[in-house]
Amino acid sequence: MTAAFGGLLRFNGAQPPKSLNAYVDNSNYTAMMFDLVYSKLLSADSKTTDLAPSLANAWEVSPDGRRFTFRIDPRAKWSDGKSVTAADVKWTFDAVMDPKSDTGPWKSTMGFFESPETPDERTVIFRKKGDSPKDWRDILNCSMFWILPRHVFEGKDFNKLNIVGAVSGCAYVISRAEPLVETELTRHGRWWCQDFPQWRGQYNFDRILFRYYADNENAFEAFKKGKLDVYPVYTARIYANETGSEKFRRNWIVKRRVRNQAPVGFQGFAMNMRRKPFDDVRVRKAMAKLVDRATMNTTMMNGAYFLLRSYYPDLYDTKHPCANPNWDYDVEGAKKLLKEAGYEKGFAFTFLSRSSTEDKFLSLFNHALTECGIKMSIVRKDFAGWMRDMDSFDYDMTWAAWGSGTVKYPELQWSGAEASRRGSNNITGFKNDEVDALIAAEKSMMSAAERNAAYRRIDALVAAEVPYVLLWQTDSTRLLYWNKFGMPETVLSKFDREESVISYWWYDRDRAEELDESVRENGFLPQAEEIVNYDEGGAK
């Protein structure tokens, strides 16, 4: 099948973002939108992850590895026809690094460079700061950030940029935003490299709607009613037990489970180690013993997940087995730890929640807490409110999930320097001198095997301190979608998850007409293979 332009995609955008500026809103979904609207100096090949041209068509690294020069492609244009220049790159870098900008995670990776030099309109030079160590990711850190149009945003509060209707540097423009409801992106047709070979078959939809819902259950109900076209499934019960209706049996809605080489992240109950009682590792270990993960997985999630014992689960295999502690449910063991920590009579804390889907898990957790005399109060906020509290570390315990990438950045979550930086990913306040030393040493490791060994050691040290009660994870992407789209045989790209839908799928007019006819006549559509393995070439 050949990709074609046209049509509308309505996508579950999870909970409403606090900002459409992905530098400020540290959310995967906001990043998805920004990837559609703004480009970076370089891109990554979707099959090899090798660096590839984007806004820059040439680059070089000095022999000492401390100077990085990029040449802006002379064809690069903004959607208003103005040329992309080195000044746009410099302005974006300086705006992100401005102390007034709430861009914590970006400051940690971009902060090793001086403000870039712009000797002419097409040349950008990044230099490492004098005291910054050489890092094997340096070329990534100074080339893989979104470039914004200086002539549009200069002089405005970076934390409050109005992205709606703004000039675009990629295939789409954010054409409309209805707060708390949806954000619309429109393919503007003026992307300067739309016809380049590396982008053929991508960015096909005329319009994309990110629709927001208070929780996944509400989103699923909207999906079944046809208000969403694609629903990435994060709840095992929905995938296993809620997909037996006529719409599924008649293949109007398709059910797929895709396994590719996307790195596996982690999720868990994050504990704020800056505050009592979670500043005591014995209390954190007790919390890990009071979460009955096995029962939750079996009774609430159909056993669809593997239980985590690592923050980097994709680094382990039969040659490198994980030796981190595996926290089994053990109330008596938890009581013993609490007694050692001086909390024999318990304590009170607040759990910051952002979705009602967490309630059933917290109810079982609360039963165990009560046995230990611990009182948990649940405070629920929407995603934007939750993010504000995370930015200022104003919480006791919360549920947090983190994705992973083909390139690891352990400093973002585990560096002691990030523990006090507003808006950082180190939400637990984790600090460990040995981890900091490993993070510093890892920067100069040119061998992937050596780096992976360092990551595993970092993982062991972090796991021993229990900043999170690790929960569970899956190694596949579960998708439900209305049967009106074309897609590659592999469904998703090699290293991505549901974000591939937005970039690689297309509206298939013939299939859409067949779906409409089948719904009218209560008919059946052909069945698609549910299981898709990328490494085997797709569905079998």
Side-chain angles (χ1 to χ4, degrees), residues 134 278 442:
K134 184 177 178 180
F278 300 119
E442 180 265 347

Side-chain angles (χ1 to χ4, degrees), residues 110-172:
M110 295 164 63
F112 296 110
F113 299 92
E114 304 284 357
S115 178
E117 302 167 21
T118 54
D120 59 55
E121 285 193 347
R122 289 182 48 216
T123 305
V124 184
I125 301 173
F126 289 89
R127 297 182 188 273
K128 292 279 288 191
K129 289 181 177 177
D131 58 349
S132 296
K134 184 177 178 180
D135 188 333
W136 67 274
R137 293 160 302 196
D138 281 333
I139 185 66
L140 302 176
N141 294 338
C142 65
S143 67
M144 301 294 276
F145 63 96
W146 298 287
I147 307 304
L148 307 186
R150 174 191 175 191
H151 66 282
V152 174
F153 295 128
E154 186 174 33
K156 298 176 181 176
D157 185 341
F158 194 76
N159 296 322
K160 299 178 181 179
L161 293 184
N162 182 11
I163 309 294
V164 180
V167 168
S168 168
C170 195
Y172 290 83

Side-chain angles (χ1 to χ4, degrees), residues 312-378:
Y312 298 103
D314 56 348
L315 290 179
Y316 296 96
D317 52 32
T318 54
K319 291 184 179 180
H320 305 96
C322 182
N324 294 347
N326 191 31
W327 299 101
D328 295 323
Y329 183 60
D330 179 8
V331 175
E332 294 306 314
K335 288 180 178 178
K336 182 179 179 181
L337 286 166
L338 292 168
K339 182 177 180 179
E340 290 176 5
Y343 293 101
E344 184 176 6
K345 296 183 179 180
F347 56 87
F349 74 96
T350 298
F351 193 102
L352 179 61
S353 170
R354 53 176 166 158
S355 173
S356 61
T357 57
E358 300 173 357
D359 289 351
K360 61 184 179 182
F361 303 100
L362 295 181
S363 177
L364 186 59
F365 180 36
N366 193 51
H367 178 76
L369 292 172
T370 302
E371 288 192 52
C372 298
I374 299 172
K375 179 177 175 55
M376 176 176 66
S377 301
I378 300 174

